[in-house]
């Protein structure tokens, strides 16, 4: 669910390709992957009465520092399938330990997050995440959406990462570090109250 918080807090960043919003009503694809890290696809496609729900690993992209990330297509959306780890001003590693950025990525203030994505990618809006959530909700017979978004083995045994999105529980900074290993918290580009607040997406094990 989406929560408005002060833009000076720090959360994880995922990036989506392109400048425009994509409609879930027209989104279709043809293959499925279990994990973005292995880039192995399966032949399973899960269909609803109104659309075909699927995902596929489609390559990699580099940030401006040369760090490389897998990219996964979910419907018509193209997502970077790891938390961003591009070092910029007003970004942090959890507990100020650089080693924590290697898997979980950096935590960014909203202003830093708005400009951190690689060329050709951008910070997703609340609507972008709603489209993703709608796809996830229709996989595995309308199971909990977070199960098909979480990286395998994260939180609990129900996580299966069938979208390839590979959500990691990177925690947050809001005066101190917390929620490490418990919540995946991602900035959106959606503004609230003239930039004092911005929405973020929270995924946990509830």
């Amino acid at each position: 669910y989406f929560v408005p918080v002060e833009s000076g807090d720090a959360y994880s960043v995922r990036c989506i390709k392109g400048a425009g919003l994509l409609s879930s009503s027209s989104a279709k694809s043809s293959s499925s992957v279990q994990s973005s890290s292995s880039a192995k696809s399966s032949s399973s496609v899960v269909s609803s009465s109104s659309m075909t729900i699927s995902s596929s690993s489609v390559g990699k992209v580099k940030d401006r520092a040369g760090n490389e990330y897998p990219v996964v297509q979910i419907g018509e959306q193209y997502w970077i399938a790891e938390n961003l780890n591009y070092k910029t001003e007003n970004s942090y590693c959890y507990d100020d330990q650089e080693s924590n950025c290697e898997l979980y990525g950096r935590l960014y203030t909203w202003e830093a997050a708005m400009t951190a994505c690689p060329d050709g990618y951008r910070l997703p809006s609340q609507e972008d995440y709603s489209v993703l959530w709608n796809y996830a909700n229709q996989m595995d017979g309308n199971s909990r959406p977070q199960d098909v978004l979480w990286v395998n083995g994260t939180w609990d045994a129900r996580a299966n990462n069938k979208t390839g999105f590979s959500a990691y529980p990177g925690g947050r900074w809001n005066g101190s570090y917390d929620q490490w290993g418990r919540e995946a918290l991602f900035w959106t580009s959606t503004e609230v109250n003239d930039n004092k607040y911005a929405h973020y997406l929270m995924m946990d094990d509830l």
Side-chain angles (χ1 to χ4, degrees):
Y1 55 93
F2 298 98
V3 182
V5 291
E6 291 190 14
S7 58
D9 295 351
Y11 299 92
S12 297
V13 164
R14 288 298 178 98
C15 302
I16 189 170
K17 188 175 183 179
L21 298 173
L22 294 166
S23 170
S24 61
S25 62
S26 63
K28 293 184 179 181
S29 186
S30 61
S31 60
S32 174
V33 293
Q34 299 298 321
S35 171
S36 62
S37 61
S38 62
K40 295 181 179 178
S41 63
S42 74
S43 60
S44 62
V45 176
V46 182
S47 297
S48 71
S49 59
S50 61
M51 69 180 76
T52 299
I53 306 301
S54 61
S55 66
S56 61
S57 178
V58 294
K60 296 182 179 181
V61 65
K62 292 182 179 180
D63 64 25
R64 293 187 290 277
N67 300 311
E68 195 171 63
Y69 308 87
V71 176
V72 63
Q73 180 180 358
I74 305 173
E76 290 186 354
Q77 293 179 317
Y78 291 83
W79 291 90
I80 288 179
E82 291 179 0
N83 292 351
L84 194 66
N85 188 23
Y86 173 61
K87 187 174 183 178
T88 186
E89 187 175 0
N90 295 320
S91 68
Y92 315 95
C93 294
Y94 196 92
D95 279 342
D96 299 322
Q97 299 295 317
E98 289 290 331
S99 60
N100 288 334
C101 283
E102 294 179 5
L103 177 61
Y104 291 90
R106 302 185 72 85
L107 303 174
Y108 298 81
T109 65
W110 186 74
E111 289 79 6
M114 288 290 288
T115 60
C117 288
D119 293 341
Y121 288 75
R122 59 178 172 81
L123 192 66
S125 69
Q126 182 174 329
E127 185 173 345
D128 290 319
Y129 273 118
S130 294
V131 170
L132 174 68
W133 200 254
N134 182 50
Y135 267 82
N137 191 49
Q138 295 185 61
M139 284 188 164
D140 275 357
N142 291 308
S143 67
R144 302 184 317 156
Q146 58 266 50
D147 289 341
V148 299
L149 294 167
W150 294 343
V151 71
N152 302 58
T154 304
W155 284 290
D156 60 47
R158 290 173 289 184
N160 58 58
N161 196 33
K162 286 189 174 180
T163 59
F165 186 80
S166 302
Y168 288 95
R172 66 183 177 186
W173 182 89
N174 60 350
S176 61
Y177 294 103
D178 66 357
Q179 303 306 317
W180 172 267
R182 296 179 58 189
E183 295 180 347
L185 309 168
F186 301 108
W187 277 124
T188 80
S189 62
T190 303
E191 304 174 29
V192 183
N193 296 337
D194 298 325
N195 294 339
K196 183 178 180 182
Y197 296 92
H199 278 115
Y200 74 88
L201 172 67
M202 174 193 288
M203 285 192 283
D204 58 22
D205 60 354
L206 299 178

